[in-house]
Amino acid sequence: MIKNKIVKNKNYMVGIDVDTTNNEVAVSDGYIYKGGEKHFIEGIYFNLDTDKQFEVVYDLYITINSNNDFIYELEKTYLDEGAMPCYTGDNKLFLTFVSVKLGIDGSFFEGHVTKIVDSEEMVENQEDKPETR
């Protein structure tokens, strides 16, 4: 089960939706407001492939590159002995946006999507609402 998490902050997202179906994650285009500026971020989709030996974690990060553009970066971690998922890229990390853990041969599917909303908005009953798969 994928849980939706809502975080209120002065830097926030608008129009970015996540859909998880048929072992695929699709993220729509949208905007990130940071420091009063509006930044476009292009959508992305990726497949969730299982492994026969190890659990797998997919982490989709939102990062800021040297041109001050927001981009998605996907990392896949095989949870063998001692492996721990973490961002290993060169850009500035903004948010661990989507994290999905798959069991061996897809035996379980769990994770979260963390959305940031305007700290001025009222958000009721949104935190930790499960998203169906």
Side-chain angles (χ1 to χ4, degrees), residues 34-80:
K34 183 174 187 297
E37 295 181 15
K38 182 178 180 180
H39 301 269
F40 176 75
I41 186 165
E42 188 174 336
I44 186 175
Y45 75 93
F46 56 94
N47 291 323
L48 299 171
D49 298 321
T50 59
D51 187 77
K52 294 182 183 206
Q53 288 185 303
F54 302 110
E55 295 176 346
V56 178
V57 173
Y58 286 87
D59 286 314
L60 182 63
Y61 300 102
I62 298 176
T63 65
I64 305 170
N65 67 15
S66 60
N67 294 327
N68 214 26
D69 297 322
F70 285 81
I71 60 172
Y72 292 111
E73 291 189 58
L74 179 65
E75 294 198 8
K76 180 179 180 180
T77 304
Y78 294 91
L79 298 179
D80 59 354

